[in-house]
Amino acid sequence: TDAQQLSFHDASFANVVGVDVLHHINWPIYFLEEASRLLKPGGKLILLEPAITLGSWLLSKYYHVEDMDMNADPLKRGTIDPLRDVRLANLAIPTLLQRKYNSRLKTALPEFEKFEFYHLSLLAFPLSGGFRSWRLIPHWAVPPILSLERLLLPFIGRFLSFRLMLSFTRR
C-alpha cells in the first residue's frame, strides 16, 4: 500500500505513528492529508524522522546515502507514481516542515489544529551507529549519555540534534 493513498476508512485510527517514513515519500502533502483523514478527532500523527541541524548536516552530507535537498517543497503536489523506488529519500523534508513551511501548515492541512516539533538525540543516535549493527559506545554508557542529552536538548537541540519528532493533532 502506498502511504499517499491508504485504503482505510475515514476516522479509523486514534493515532498514526511512523518511524523514518515521511522523508521517503515523494509527495509528503498527500501522506499528511491521508493521515488526517484516517485520524479520529483529537488523534495524533506522530513521526520520528531525521533532523537537519548543524550537528547532523555534516554526517548526513558526507556519510549518508540518502539525498538532502534543502530547497524542496514538502507541500508541493505532483503525480503519485506507485512504481517509484521507496529507497529514494530527502532527509530534509521534516526539517523543512518545521523551519521553512511551518507557517503554511495550518492552511495546507486545516484538519490539524496543532503542529509540534521536538528535537531529539544529540550523541546517542550517532554514537550508537543509528540503524547499523556497529556502535561506538558500550552498552553501559547509554543511560548516562541519554541523561546528559535530556539536560542539553532544550538549549542546543535545535542546533545539534539528529532526530526530529513531529506531532500533529487532528481537530
Side-chain angles (χ1 to χ4, degrees):
T1 299
D2 188 318
Q4 300 165 106
Q5 297 173 315
L6 296 166
S7 58
F8 299 102
H9 296 289
D10 293 359
S12 296
F13 298 97
N15 297 296
V16 173
V17 178
V19 177
D20 289 333
V21 173
L22 186 65
H23 73 277
H24 285 280
I25 297 172
N26 197 29
W27 308 108
I29 185 66
Y30 295 138
F31 166 70
L32 297 171
E33 289 172 341
E34 278 293 279
S36 73
R37 181 185 68 77
L38 297 177
L39 287 169
K40 295 177 181 178
K44 290 189 179 218
L45 168 63
I46 309 263
L47 301 169
L48 182 61
E49 294 286 334
I52 303 302
T53 63
L54 180 62
S56 68
W57 181 82
L58 287 170
L59 285 177
S60 295
K61 181 158 178 68
Y62 295 107
Y63 297 104
H64 205 288
V65 297
E66 295 172 326
D67 286 336
M68 178 177 41
D69 179 2
M70 295 301 288
N71 294 312
D73 180 350
L75 302 179
K76 184 178 177 182
R77 296 172 185 280
T79 303
I80 295 172
D81 178 3
L83 301 177
R84 180 178 181 266
D85 188 345
V86 295
R87 293 172 295 179
L88 297 175
N90 182 358
L91 293 171
I93 294 296
T95 300
L96 288 168
L97 285 172
Q98 178 203 17
R99 292 193 189 156
K100 192 173 179 182
Y101 291 89
N102 197 339
S103 62
R104 289 180 44 201
L105 286 175
K106 286 184 182 184
T107 304
L109 299 163
E111 301 82 12
F112 287 111
E113 64 180 351
K114 196 173 186 184
F115 300 91
E116 298 173 290
F117 299 88
Y118 304 95
H119 285 275
L120 307 170
S121 187
L122 297 170
L123 301 170
F125 186 75
L127 292 177
S128 72
F131 294 111
R132 308 214 172 165
S133 58
W134 59 267
R135 65 175 180 237
L136 297 175
I137 54 174
H139 190 288
W140 62 264
V142 173
I145 288 174
L146 291 176
S147 294
L148 178 63
E149 282 189 6
R150 277 191 289 281
L151 293 173
L152 295 176
L153 272 168
F155 304 104
I156 61 174
R158 186 167 192 260
F159 307 105
L160 298 175
S161 69
F162 282 79
R163 306 293 288 163
L164 186 63
M165 184 172 72
L166 296 74
S167 174
F168 298 175
T169 305
R170 179 79 159 85
R171 289 192 191 283

Coordinates of all heavy atoms in Angstrom, one line a residue, residues 71-145:
N71 N 16.1 22.7 -0.7 CA 15.2 23.6 -1.5 C 13.9 22.9 -1.9 O 13.1 23.6 -2.6 CB 16.0 24.0 -2.7 CG 17.2 24.9 -2.4 OD1 17.1 25.8 -1.6 ND2 18.4 24.5 -2.9
A72 N 13.7 21.7 -1.4 CA 12.4 21.0 -1.8 C 11.2 21.7 -1.1 O 11.4 22.3 -0.1 CB 12.5 19.6 -1.4
D73 N 10.1 21.5 -1.7 CA 8.8 22.0 -1.1 C 8.0 20.8 -0.7 O 7.4 20.1 -1.5 CB 8.0 22.8 -2.1 CG 6.7 23.3 -1.6 OD1 6.3 23.0 -0.5 OD2 6.1 24.2 -2.3
P74 N 7.9 20.5 0.7 CA 7.2 19.3 1.1 C 5.7 19.4 1.0 O 5.0 18.4 1.1 CB 7.6 19.2 2.6 CG 8.1 20.5 3.0 CD 8.6 21.2 1.7
L75 N 5.2 20.6 0.6 CA 3.8 20.8 0.4 C 3.4 20.8 -1.0 O 2.2 21.0 -1.4 CB 3.3 22.1 1.1 CG 3.6 22.2 2.6 CD1 3.1 23.5 3.2 CD2 3.0 21.0 3.4
K76 N 4.3 20.6 -1.9 CA 4.1 20.6 -3.3 C 3.3 19.3 -3.7 O 3.5 18.3 -3.1 CB 5.5 20.6 -4.1 CG 5.4 20.7 -5.6 CD 6.7 20.8 -6.2 CE 6.6 20.8 -7.7 NZ 8.0 20.8 -8.3
R77 N 2.5 19.5 -4.7 CA 1.7 18.3 -5.2 C 2.2 17.9 -6.6 O 2.7 18.7 -7.4 CB 0.2 18.7 -5.4 CG -0.4 19.1 -4.0 CD -1.8 19.6 -4.2 NE -2.3 20.0 -2.9 CZ -2.8 19.2 -2.0 NH1 -2.9 17.9 -2.3 NH2 -3.2 19.7 -0.8
G78 N 2.1 16.6 -6.8 CA 2.6 16.1 -8.1 C 1.8 14.8 -8.4 O 0.9 14.4 -7.7
T79 N 2.3 14.1 -9.4 CA 1.6 12.8 -9.8 C 2.2 11.7 -9.0 O 3.5 11.5 -8.9 CB 1.9 12.5 -11.3 OG1 1.3 13.6 -12.0 CG2 1.2 11.2 -11.7
I80 N 1.4 10.9 -8.3 CA 1.8 9.8 -7.5 C 2.2 8.7 -8.4 O 1.5 8.3 -9.3 CB 0.7 9.3 -6.5 CG1 0.4 10.4 -5.5 CG2 1.1 8.0 -5.8 CD1 -0.8 10.2 -4.6
D81 N 3.4 8.2 -8.2 CA 4.0 7.1 -9.0 C 4.1 5.8 -8.1 O 5.0 5.8 -7.3 CB 5.3 7.5 -9.6 CG 6.0 6.3 -10.4 OD1 5.3 5.3 -10.6 OD2 7.1 6.5 -10.9
P82 N 3.2 4.9 -8.2 CA 3.3 3.7 -7.3 C 4.5 2.8 -7.6 O 4.8 2.0 -6.8 CB 2.0 2.9 -7.7 CG 1.5 3.4 -9.0 CD 2.1 4.8 -9.2
L83 N 5.2 3.0 -8.7 CA 6.4 2.3 -9.0 C 7.7 3.0 -8.6 O 8.8 2.4 -8.8 CB 6.4 1.9 -10.5 CG 5.2 1.1 -11.0 CD1 5.3 0.9 -12.5 CD2 5.1 -0.2 -10.3
R84 N 7.6 4.1 -8.0 CA 8.7 4.9 -7.5 C 9.5 4.0 -6.5 O 8.9 3.4 -5.6 CB 8.3 6.2 -6.9 CG 9.5 7.0 -6.4 CD 8.9 8.4 -5.9 NE 10.0 9.2 -5.4 CZ 10.5 9.2 -4.2 NH1 9.9 8.5 -3.2 NH2 11.4 10.0 -3.8
D85 N 10.8 4.1 -6.5 CA 11.6 3.3 -5.6 C 11.5 4.0 -4.2 O 11.9 5.2 -4.1 CB 13.1 3.4 -6.1 CG 14.0 2.5 -5.3 OD1 13.6 2.1 -4.2 OD2 15.1 2.2 -5.8
V86 N 11.0 3.3 -3.2 CA 10.8 3.8 -1.9 C 12.1 4.1 -1.2 O 12.2 4.7 -0.1 CB 9.9 2.9 -1.0 CG1 8.5 2.8 -1.6 CG2 10.5 1.5 -0.9
R87 N 13.2 3.6 -1.7 CA 14.5 3.9 -1.1 C 15.0 5.3 -1.4 O 15.9 5.8 -0.8 CB 15.6 2.9 -1.6 CG 15.3 1.5 -1.1 CD 16.2 0.5 -1.7 NE 15.9 0.4 -3.1 CZ 16.6 -0.3 -4.0 NH1 17.5 -1.1 -3.6 NH2 16.3 -0.3 -5.3
L88 N 14.4 5.9 -2.4 CA 14.7 7.3 -2.7 C 14.2 8.2 -1.5 O 13.1 7.9 -0.9 CB 14.0 7.8 -4.0 CG 14.5 7.1 -5.3 CD1 13.7 7.6 -6.5 CD2 16.0 7.3 -5.5
A89 N 14.9 9.2 -1.2 CA 14.5 10.0 0.0 C 15.0 11.4 0.0 O 15.9 11.7 -0.8 CB 15.0 9.3 1.3
N90 N 14.5 12.2 0.8 CA 15.0 13.6 1.0 C 15.0 13.8 2.6 O 14.0 14.0 3.2 CB 14.2 14.6 0.3 CG 14.7 16.0 0.5 OD1 15.7 16.2 1.2 ND2 14.1 17.0 0.0
L91 N 16.2 13.6 3.2 CA 16.3 13.8 4.6 C 15.8 15.1 5.1 O 15.5 15.3 6.3 CB 17.8 13.6 5.0 CG 18.4 12.3 4.8 CD1 19.9 12.3 5.0 CD2 17.8 11.3 5.7
A92 N 15.8 16.1 4.3 CA 15.4 17.5 4.7 C 13.9 17.7 4.9 O 13.5 18.7 5.5 CB 15.9 18.5 3.6
I93 N 13.1 16.8 4.4 CA 11.6 17.1 4.5 C 11.1 17.4 5.9 O 10.4 18.5 6.0 CB 10.8 15.9 3.9 CG1 11.1 15.7 2.4 CG2 9.4 16.0 4.2 CD1 10.6 16.9 1.5
P94 N 11.4 16.7 6.9 CA 10.9 17.0 8.2 C 11.4 18.4 8.7 O 10.6 19.2 9.3 CB 11.4 15.9 9.1 CG 11.7 14.8 8.2 CD 12.1 15.4 6.9
T95 N 12.7 18.7 8.5 CA 13.2 19.9 8.9 C 12.6 21.1 8.2 O 12.3 22.2 8.7 CB 14.8 19.9 8.8 OG1 15.3 18.9 9.6 CG2 15.4 21.2 9.2
L96 N 12.4 20.9 6.9 CA 11.7 21.9 6.1 C 10.3 22.2 6.6 O 9.9 23.4 6.6 CB 11.7 21.5 4.6 CG 13.0 21.5 3.9 CD1 12.9 20.8 2.5 CD2 13.5 23.0 3.7
L97 N 9.6 21.2 7.0 CA 8.2 21.4 7.5 C 8.3 22.2 8.8 O 7.5 23.1 9.0 CB 7.5 20.1 7.8 CG 7.0 19.3 6.6 CD1 6.5 18.0 7.0 CD2 5.9 20.1 5.9
Q98 N 9.3 22.0 9.6 CA 9.5 22.7 10.9 C 9.9 24.1 10.7 O 9.3 25.1 11.2 CB 10.5 22.0 11.8 CG 10.7 22.8 13.1 CD 12.0 22.4 13.7 OE1 12.9 21.9 13.2 NE2 12.0 22.8 15.0
R99 N 10.9 24.3 9.9 CA 11.6 25.7 9.8 C 11.0 26.6 8.7 O 10.7 27.7 8.9 CB 13.1 25.5 9.5 CG 13.8 24.9 10.7 CD 15.2 25.1 10.6 NE 15.9 24.3 11.6 CZ 17.1 23.9 11.5 NH1 17.8 24.1 10.4 NH2 17.7 23.2 12.5
K100 N 10.9 26.0 7.5 CA 10.6 26.9 6.3 C 9.1 26.9 6.0 O 8.5 27.9 5.5 CB 11.3 26.4 5.1 CG 11.3 27.3 3.9 CD 12.3 26.7 2.9 CE 12.3 27.6 1.6 NZ 13.2 27.1 0.6
Y101 N 8.3 25.8 6.3 CA 6.9 25.7 5.9 C 6.0 25.7 7.1 O 4.8 25.5 6.9 CB 6.8 24.5 5.0 CG 7.4 24.7 3.7 CD1 8.8 24.3 3.5 CD2 6.8 25.3 2.6 CE1 9.4 24.5 2.3 CE2 7.4 25.5 1.4 CZ 8.7 25.1 1.2 OH 9.3 25.3 0.0
N102 N 6.5 25.9 8.3 CA 5.6 25.8 9.4 C 4.4 26.7 9.4 O 3.3 26.4 9.7 CB 6.5 26.1 10.7 CG 5.8 25.6 12.0 OD1 4.6 25.4 12.0 ND2 6.6 25.4 13.0
S103 N 4.7 27.9 8.9 CA 3.6 28.9 8.8 C 2.5 28.6 7.8 O 1.4 29.1 7.9 CB 4.2 30.3 8.5 OG 4.8 30.3 7.2
R104 N 2.9 27.7 6.8 CA 1.9 27.3 5.8 C 1.1 26.0 6.2 O 0.2 25.6 5.5 CB 2.6 27.1 4.5 CG 3.1 28.4 3.9 CD 3.8 28.2 2.5 NE 3.2 27.3 1.6 CZ 3.8 26.7 0.6 NH1 5.1 26.9 0.4 NH2 3.2 25.8 -0.2
L105 N 1.5 25.4 7.3 CA 0.9 24.1 7.6 C -0.6 24.2 7.9 O -1.4 23.4 7.5 CB 1.6 23.4 8.8 CG 3.0 22.8 8.5 CD1 3.7 22.3 9.7 CD2 2.9 21.7 7.4
K106 N -1.0 25.3 8.7 CA -2.4 25.4 9.0 C -3.3 25.6 7.8 O -4.4 25.1 7.8 CB -2.5 26.6 10.0 CG -2.1 26.3 11.4 CD -2.3 27.4 12.3 CE -1.7 27.0 13.7 NZ -2.0 27.9 14.7
T107 N -2.8 26.3 6.8 CA -3.5 26.5 5.6 C -3.6 25.2 4.7 O -4.6 24.8 4.2 CB -2.9 27.6 4.8 OG1 -2.9 28.8 5.6 CG2 -3.7 27.9 3.5
A108 N -2.4 24.6 4.6 CA -2.3 23.4 3.8 C -3.0 22.2 4.4 O -3.5 21.3 3.7 CB -0.8 23.0 3.6
L109 N -3.1 22.1 5.8 CA -3.6 21.0 6.5 C -4.6 21.5 7.5 O -4.4 21.4 8.7 CB -2.5 20.1 7.1 CG -1.5 19.6 6.2 CD1 -0.2 19.1 6.9 CD2 -2.1 18.4 5.4
P110 N -5.8 22.0 7.1 CA -6.7 22.6 8.1 C -7.3 21.7 9.0 O -7.9 22.1 10.1 CB -7.8 23.3 7.2 CG -7.7 22.5 5.9 CD -6.2 22.1 5.7
E111 N -7.3 20.4 8.8 CA -7.9 19.4 9.7 C -7.0 19.2 10.9 O -7.5 18.7 11.9 CB -8.0 18.0 9.0 CG -8.8 18.0 7.7 CD -8.0 18.5 6.5 OE1 -6.8 18.6 6.5 OE2 -8.7 18.8 5.5
F112 N -5.8 19.7 10.9 CA -4.9 19.6 12.1 C -5.0 20.9 12.8 O -5.0 22.0 12.2 CB -3.5 19.3 11.7 CG -3.2 17.9 11.3 CD1 -2.9 17.6 10.0 CD2 -3.3 16.9 12.2 CE1 -2.7 16.3 9.6 CE2 -3.0 15.6 11.8 CZ -2.7 15.3 10.5
E113 N -5.1 20.9 14.2 CA -5.1 22.1 14.9 C -3.8 22.4 15.6 O -3.6 23.5 16.1 CB -6.3 22.0 16.0 CG -6.1 20.9 17.0 CD -7.2 20.9 18.0 OE1 -8.1 21.8 18.0 OE2 -7.2 20.0 18.9
K114 N -3.0 21.5 15.7 CA -1.7 21.7 16.5 C -0.6 21.0 15.8 O -0.7 19.9 15.4 CB -1.9 21.1 17.9 CG -0.9 21.5 18.9 CD -1.4 21.0 20.3 CE -0.5 21.5 21.4 NZ -0.9 20.9 22.6
F115 N 0.5 21.8 15.6 CA 1.7 21.2 15.0 C 2.9 21.4 15.9 O 3.2 22.6 16.3 CB 2.0 22.0 13.7 CG 0.9 21.9 12.7 CD1 -0.1 22.9 12.6 CD2 0.9 20.9 11.7 CE1 -1.1 22.8 11.7 CE2 -0.1 20.8 10.8 CZ -1.1 21.8 10.8
E116 N 3.5 20.3 16.4 CA 4.6 20.4 17.3 C 5.8 19.7 16.8 O 5.7 18.7 16.1 CB 4.2 19.8 18.7 CG 3.0 20.6 19.3 CD 2.5 19.9 20.6 OE1 1.9 18.8 20.4 OE2 2.8 20.4 21.7
F117 N 7.0 20.2 17.1 CA 8.2 19.6 16.7 C 9.2 19.5 17.9 O 9.3 20.5 18.6 CB 8.9 20.5 15.6 CG 8.0 20.7 14.4 CD1 7.1 21.7 14.3 CD2 8.2 19.8 13.3 CE1 6.3 21.8 13.2 CE2 7.4 19.9 12.2 CZ 6.4 20.9 12.1
Y118 N 9.8 18.4 18.0 CA 10.7 18.2 19.2 C 12.0 17.6 18.7 O 12.1 16.6 18.0 CB 10.1 17.2 20.1 CG 8.7 17.5 20.7 CD1 7.6 17.0 20.1 CD2 8.6 18.4 21.8 CE1 6.3 17.3 20.5 CE2 7.3 18.7 22.2 CZ 6.2 18.2 21.6 OH 5.0 18.5 22.1
H119 N 13.1 18.3 19.0 CA 14.4 17.8 18.7 C 14.9 16.7 19.7 O 14.7 16.9 20.9 CB 15.4 18.9 18.6 CG 15.3 19.8 17.5 ND1 15.9 19.5 16.3 CD2 14.6 20.9 17.3 CE1 15.5 20.4 15.4 NE2 14.7 21.3 16.0
L120 N 15.4 15.6 19.1 CA 15.9 14.5 20.0 C 17.3 14.1 19.5 O 17.7 14.3 18.4 CB 14.9 13.3 19.8 CG 13.4 13.6 20.0 CD1 12.6 12.4 19.5 CD2 13.1 13.9 21.4
S121 N 18.0 13.5 20.4 CA 19.2 12.8 20.1 C 20.4 13.7 19.7 O 20.4 14.1 18.5 CB 19.0 11.7 19.1 OG 20.2 10.9 19.0
L122 N 21.2 13.9 20.6 CA 22.5 14.7 20.4 C 23.6 13.8 20.1 O 24.3 13.9 19.1 CB 22.8 15.6 21.5 CG 21.7 16.7 21.8 CD1 22.0 17.4 23.1 CD2 21.6 17.7 20.7
L123 N 23.9 12.8 21.0 CA 25.0 12.0 20.9 C 24.7 10.5 20.8 O 25.4 9.8 20.1 CB 25.9 12.1 22.2 CG 26.4 13.5 22.5 CD1 27.0 13.6 23.9 CD2 27.4 14.0 21.5
A124 N 23.6 10.1 21.4 CA 23.3 8.6 21.5 C 23.1 8.1 20.1 O 23.6 7.0 19.8 CB 22.1 8.4 22.4
F125 N 22.3 8.8 19.3 CA 22.0 8.2 17.9 C 23.2 8.0 17.1 O 23.5 6.9 16.6 CB 20.9 9.1 17.3 CG 20.5 8.5 15.9 CD1 19.6 7.4 15.9 CD2 20.9 9.0 14.7 CE1 19.2 6.8 14.7 CE2 20.5 8.5 13.5 CZ 19.6 7.4 13.5
P126 N 24.1 9.1 16.9 CA 25.2 8.9 16.0 C 26.3 7.9 16.6 O 26.9 7.1 15.9 CB 25.8 10.3 15.8 CG 25.3 11.1 16.9 CD 23.9 10.5 17.3
L127 N 26.4 8.0 18.0 CA 27.4 7.1 18.6 C 26.9 5.6 18.6 O 27.7 4.7 18.7 CB 27.7 7.5 20.0 CG 28.5 8.9 20.1 CD1 28.7 9.3 21.6 CD2 29.8 8.8 19.4
S128 N 25.6 5.4 18.5 CA 25.1 4.0 18.5 C 25.2 3.4 17.1 O 24.9 2.2 17.0 CB 23.6 4.0 19.0 OG 22.8 4.6 17.9
G129 N 25.5 4.2 16.1 CA 25.5 3.7 14.7 C 24.2 3.9 14.1 O 24.0 3.4 12.9
G130 N 23.2 4.5 14.8 CA 21.9 4.7 14.2 C 21.2 3.3 14.0 O 21.1 2.6 14.9
F131 N 20.9 3.0 12.7 CA 20.2 1.8 12.4 C 21.2 0.7 11.9 O 20.9 -0.2 11.2 CB 19.1 2.0 11.4 CG 18.0 2.8 12.0 CD1 17.7 4.1 11.6 CD2 17.2 2.3 13.0 CE1 16.7 4.8 12.1 CE2 16.2 3.0 13.6 CZ 15.9 4.3 13.1
R132 N 22.5 0.9 12.2 CA 23.5 0.0 11.7 C 23.9 -1.0 12.9 O 23.6 -0.7 14.0 CB 24.7 0.7 11.3 CG 24.3 1.8 10.3 CD 25.3 2.0 9.2 NE 24.6 2.9 8.3 CZ 25.2 3.5 7.4 NH1 26.5 3.4 7.2 NH2 24.6 4.3 6.5
S133 N 24.6 -2.0 12.6 CA 25.0 -3.0 13.6 C 26.1 -2.6 14.5 O 26.3 -3.1 15.6 CB 25.3 -4.4 12.9 OG 26.4 -4.2 12.0
W134 N 27.0 -1.7 14.0 CA 28.1 -1.2 14.9 C 27.7 -0.1 15.8 O 26.7 0.5 15.7 CB 29.2 -0.7 14.0 CG 28.9 0.4 13.1 CD1 28.4 0.4 11.8 CD2 28.9 1.8 13.4 NE1 28.1 1.6 11.3 CE2 28.4 2.5 12.3 CE3 29.2 2.5 14.5 CZ2 28.3 3.9 12.3 CZ3 29.1 3.9 14.5 CH2 28.7 4.6 13.4
R135 N 28.5 0.1 16.8 CA 28.3 1.2 17.7 C 29.6 1.6 18.3 O 30.6 0.8 18.5 CB 27.3 0.9 18.8 CG 27.7 -0.2 19.8 CD 26.7 -0.3 20.9 NE 27.1 -1.4 21.8 CZ 26.5 -2.4 22.1 NH1 25.3 -2.6 21.6 NH2 27.0 -3.3 22.9
L136 N 29.7 2.9 18.6 CA 31.0 3.5 19.2 C 30.9 3.6 20.7 O 31.9 4.0 21.3 CB 31.2 4.9 18.5 CG 31.4 4.9 17.0 CD1 31.5 6.3 16.5 CD2 32.7 4.1 16.7
I137 N 29.8 3.3 21.3 CA 29.7 3.4 22.8 C 29.3 2.0 23.3 O 28.6 1.3 22.8 CB 28.7 4.5 23.2 CG1 27.4 4.2 22.6 CG2 29.2 5.9 22.9 CD1 26.3 5.2 23.1
P138 N 29.9 1.7 24.5 CA 29.5 0.5 25.2 C 28.1 0.6 25.7 O 27.6 1.7 26.0 CB 30.5 0.3 26.3 CG 31.0 1.7 26.5 CD 30.9 2.4 25.3
H139 N 27.4 -0.5 25.9 CA 26.0 -0.6 26.3 C 25.9 0.2 27.7 O 24.9 0.9 27.8 CB 25.6 -2.1 26.5 CG 24.2 -2.2 26.7 ND1 23.5 -1.9 27.9 CD2 23.2 -2.7 25.9 CE1 22.3 -2.2 27.8 NE2 22.0 -2.6 26.6
W140 N 26.8 0.0 28.6 CA 26.7 0.6 29.9 C 26.7 2.2 29.8 O 26.2 2.8 30.7 CB 27.8 0.1 30.9 CG 29.1 0.5 30.4 CD1 30.0 -0.3 29.7 CD2 29.8 1.7 30.6 NE1 31.2 0.3 29.4 CE2 31.1 1.6 30.0 CE3 29.5 2.9 31.2 CZ2 32.0 2.6 30.0 CZ3 30.5 3.9 31.2 CH2 31.7 3.8 30.6
A141 N 27.2 2.7 28.8 CA 27.3 4.2 28.7 C 26.1 4.9 28.1 O 25.9 6.1 28.2 CB 28.5 4.6 27.8
V142 N 25.2 4.1 27.6 CA 23.9 4.6 27.0 C 23.1 5.4 28.0 O 22.7 6.6 27.8 CB 23.1 3.6 26.3 CG1 21.8 4.1 25.8 CG2 23.9 3.0 25.1
P143 N 22.7 4.9 29.2 CA 21.9 5.6 30.1 C 22.5 7.0 30.5 O 21.8 8.0 30.5 CB 21.7 4.7 31.3 CG 21.9 3.3 30.7 CD 22.9 3.5 29.7
P144 N 23.8 7.1 30.9 CA 24.4 8.4 31.2 C 24.3 9.4 30.1 O 24.1 10.6 30.2 CB 25.8 8.1 31.7 CG 26.0 6.7 31.8 CD 24.8 6.0 31.2
I145 N 24.6 8.9 28.9 CA 24.5 9.7 27.7 C 23.1 10.3 27.4 O 22.9 11.4 27.2 CB 25.1 9.0 26.4 CG1 26.6 8.9 26.6 CG2 24.8 9.8 25.2 CD1 27.3 8.1 25.5

